[in-house]
Amino acid sequence: MDCLFCEASGTVPTTDPNAIDDLEDCYHCKGTAQLSLSDLLLPLPGKIHRLSKAVLRNETRLHQAQAKLDAATAEIERTIAEDSALKNDQQRKARRSELMQGDAYQEAQQRLQKAQEDYQTLKVDRQLAMNQLEVAKLMVQAQLAA
């Protein structure tokens, strides 16, 4: 991937698709004056906006995954309540445990876990971008004051 700042034509590999997150990836720009503070500052509000929208979309997925798990749990409880062959709490617990090992419940649980992980990752990424924006703004202020 080419550096987003120097726009090198294939000679400057970077492992970061957004390069702004890790400027050290571009060996061409590293240690040069090619990057201005505005180069650092200008992309960040858009990035924060995109991440905020992604957080909201993922929050919806998280709620949907929780609802599916809740529905699967309710179905298990309904199945246990309707089973007259289960005579005591120990039998009901054993049946509940057995049903929770089923594919539908396990899949719902895994989807919820994945949605939770994705949600937290996006929130961390958004906070990082917000912190980067604050640092870039402070750098601009310091440069203007000098």
Side-chain angles (χ1 to χ4, degrees), residues 70-123:
D70 292 346
T73 302
E75 179 62 25
I76 288 171
E77 293 302 322
R78 186 190 61 74
T79 300
I80 291 170
E82 291 176 352
D83 191 343
S84 60
L86 303 173
K87 303 291 184 198
N88 57 43
D89 281 342
Q90 191 173 18
Q91 288 176 340
R92 284 187 283 279
K93 282 182 185 180
R95 180 70 174 140
R96 183 178 295 111
S97 179
E98 178 185 323
L99 291 171
M100 286 183 166
Q101 297 305 313
D103 290 341
Y105 185 83
Q106 289 296 313
E107 183 178 321
Q109 197 170 39
Q110 289 170 355
R111 284 185 185 195
L112 176 61
Q113 183 176 355
K114 176 78 168 105
Q116 288 170 332
E117 290 170 3
D118 292 347
Y119 179 71
Q120 292 302 322
T121 298
L122 285 169
K123 284 177 55 178

Side-chain angles (χ1 to χ4, degrees), residues 8-132:
S9 58
T11 59
V12 184
T14 178
T15 58
D16 188 342
N18 295 311
I20 194 166
D21 293 336
D22 189 3
L23 297 175
E24 296 298 311
D25 283 345
C26 179
Y27 296 108
H28 182 71
C29 291
K30 184 177 173 182
T32 69
Q34 290 198 30
L35 297 174
S36 69
L37 289 175
S38 64
D39 290 331
L40 297 174
L41 188 59
L42 291 176
L44 288 172
K47 181 177 183 179
I48 292 168
H49 178 73
R50 285 187 304 278
L51 286 168
S52 294
K53 287 172 73 173
V55 166
L56 289 174
R57 281 191 308 271
N58 194 266
E59 190 172 12
T60 300
R61 283 189 212 118
L62 180 63
H63 290 303
Q64 290 170 341
Q66 182 65 58
K68 285 184 181 183
L69 182 62
D70 292 346
T73 302
E75 179 62 25
I76 288 171
E77 293 302 322
R78 186 190 61 74
T79 300
I80 291 170
E82 291 176 352
D83 191 343
S84 60
L86 303 173
K87 303 291 184 198
N88 57 43
D89 281 342
Q90 191 173 18
Q91 288 176 340
R92 284 187 283 279
K93 282 182 185 180
R95 180 70 174 140
R96 183 178 295 111
S97 179
E98 178 185 323
L99 291 171
M100 286 183 166
Q101 297 305 313
D103 290 341
Y105 185 83
Q106 289 296 313
E107 183 178 321
Q109 197 170 39
Q110 289 170 355
R111 284 185 185 195
L112 176 61
Q113 183 176 355
K114 176 78 168 105
Q116 288 170 332
E117 290 170 3
D118 292 347
Y119 179 71
Q120 292 302 322
T121 298
L122 285 169
K123 284 177 55 178
V124 167
D125 290 346
R126 181 183 60 184
Q127 186 61 50
L128 175 62
M130 291 168 50
N131 292 346
Q132 289 172 329

